[in-house]
Amino acid sequence: MLMAHPVLKDLVGQYETLCTLHAENGGATARRRMDDVAYTLCVSTGTRTVEDALDAACRRPHGTRAQGDAVLTGG
C-alpha cells in the first residue's frame, strides 16, 4: 500500500479546506477538486470511502513506514 506520509497530511488538509469552501458556496469547482482529493486519499490509503481514508490517514503516524513498506535497493 502506498503511504506517502507528508502527502497524506497535506491531502487531509486540502480535503478539509475544500469541504469548508463547498459548504460555504456550493461551488462546482470546489466539489470537483474535493472529489479528486478524496479519490487520491482512497488510493493512497487502500480504502474505498473518503471516511475510511481520512480515518486511516489520521491514525497513521507521520514519518514512519507501514509494515510491509520496503526500501528498494540495487543489488
Side-chain angles (χ1 to χ4, degrees), residues 2-57:
L2 172 67
M3 294 300 248
H5 311 294
V7 173
L8 283 178
K9 184 176 180 180
D10 183 54
L11 287 170
V12 169
Q14 285 182 48
Y15 186 80
E16 291 171 347
T17 298
L18 290 163
C19 284
T20 301
L21 288 173
H22 181 66
E24 289 175 355
N25 66 22
T29 301
R31 180 65 205 193
R32 278 191 305 274
R33 182 69 184 128
M34 192 170 71
D35 289 343
D36 289 345
V37 172
Y39 174 81
T40 304
L41 276 165
C42 288
V43 170
S44 298
T45 58
T47 58
R48 292 182 179 245
T49 67
V50 70
E51 292 81 11
D52 289 343
L54 291 169
D55 184 52

